[in-house]
DNA sequence: TGGTCGACGATAACGATTCTCGTTATCGTC
DNA sequence: GACGATAACGAGAATCGTTATCGTCGACCA
């Protein structure tokens, strides 16, 4: 089952009744390959001719986040971004402070190190964020 | 040389002229062992009888961050926190989503994994953030 | 001592997010 | 197929952390 249908089913199972706005937000997230902010999603849907309220975008993102259907990403610039959470695509982000570029990366060794910390921590860890900041290949020096 | 003097010297070398407000903020950060937000620092200094403007707190934190004298920490709750950056005390944070507790942790293996990613990335990485979220020992189940 | 320049603090402006509320869509029931 | 309950939806107001502005003051130097 595709991610959109899966998310809709999950929401329904939680007592929600996803409608038109929910579907448009889900389909948009499904289409994007990396993280997007609420306003960004709102703008994209608006220029696309469809009509979704900004509040609905925020509502959806919050609900999806609560159920782990999206990964919430805070790059520290005051905009919270989200991306569809699929089993396969777990990754973190490199941010260029000069040009603002955001790139995903994945690293098994890093993930294992984090798991080890989780076990020692005494916490029941449900999520983790890693952000690397610096200058990208084009911007350095 | 202690961290406060070091920070003051560094600021002076950058052309700033740290005064009374700067000193109070620095001394407060030096006293705290983990990250604090601007408003939190402002309140602490206010109840302490001293008088420092909120703008001065923000100004100091920004300047200290630019020069790497503090570590900027974004736990995703809309409040940016900072802590004195000392060579010895590098660490990251565990956040309990239930009670709000924030605890530091340090892990050499995690740091090495991050360094390895940095090298492969093509970026000139200057900082990294790691946040683990979940339920602390008291709050789980 | 007078002049320059940045530090300082008060306050207004800003902007992302959240809240509120009236309207509309959905769903199970009759 | 209408009905009533309930949640979704969108518009706009409110919130609140952060930033920008500006007048005043004090440190430093000629
Ligand atoms: Mn990971
Ligand atoms: Mn580290
Ligand atoms: Zn991504
Ligand atoms: Zn800390």
């Amino acid at each position: 089952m595709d991610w959109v249908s899966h998310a809709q089913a999950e929401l329904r199972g939680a007592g929600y009744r996803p409608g038109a706005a929910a579907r448009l937000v889900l389909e948009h997230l499904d289409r994007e390959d990396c993280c997007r902010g609420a306003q960004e999603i709102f703008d994209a849907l608006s220029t696309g001719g469809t009509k979704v309220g900004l509040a609905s975008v925020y509502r959806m993102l919050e609900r999806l986040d609560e159920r782990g259907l999206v990964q919430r990403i805070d790059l520290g610039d005051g905009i919270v971004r989200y991306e569809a959470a699929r089993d396969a695509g777990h990754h973190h982000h490199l941010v260029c402070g000069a040009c603002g570029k955001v790139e995903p990366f994945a690293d098994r060794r890093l993930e294992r190190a984090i798991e080890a910390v989780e076990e020692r921590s005494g916490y029941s860890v449900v999520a983790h964020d890693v952000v690397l900041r610096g200058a990208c290949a084009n911007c350095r020096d």
Side-chain angles (χ1 to χ4, degrees), chain A:
Chain A
M1 184 155 52
D2 61 287
W3 181 79
V4 172
S5 304
H6 171 245
Q8 283 176 320
E10 196 77 16
L11 288 174
R12 249 184 275 275
Y16 295 115
R17 302 191 310 209
R23 188 174 49 76
L24 287 168
V25 171
L26 287 174
E27 286 173 351
H28 183 74
L29 285 173
D30 191 42
R31 222 174 289 130
E32 302 296 315
D33 63 326
C34 200
C35 47
R36 302 282 179 253
Q39 188 73 52
E40 203 174 354
I41 295 168
F42 173 78
D43 291 343
L45 291 177
S46 298
T47 57
T50 55
K51 183 147 174 158
V52 170
L54 182 55
S56 296
V57 176
Y58 275 106
R59 248 187 312 249
M60 279 306 296
L61 294 174
E62 183 183 2
R63 288 175 185 181
L64 294 172
D65 185 35
E66 280 169 359
R67 317 233 134 233
L69 294 164
V70 291
Q71 184 179 354
R72 176 193 162 111
I73 292 150
D74 189 334
L75 301 177
D77 62 351
I79 297 172
V80 178
R81 277 162 255 252
Y82 298 85
E83 58 190 40
R86 299 186 183 80
D87 301 335
H90 180 77
H91 62 258
H92 298 288
H93 298 90
L94 281 155
V95 181
C96 176
C99 70
K101 183 166 54 182
V102 176
E103 284 187 79
F105 74 85
D107 186 68
R108 294 265 309 138
R109 185 176 152 200
L110 173 60
E111 300 299 333
R112 280 195 299 268
I114 288 174
E115 283 163 24
V117 172
E118 290 180 6
E119 282 164 24
R120 291 196 284 94
S121 69
Y123 277 56
S124 163
V125 178
V126 297
H128 61 256
D129 303 336
V130 181
V131 180
L132 273 52
R133 306 172 193 288
C136 72
N138 291 331
C139 293
R140 58 192 304 182
D141 307 347

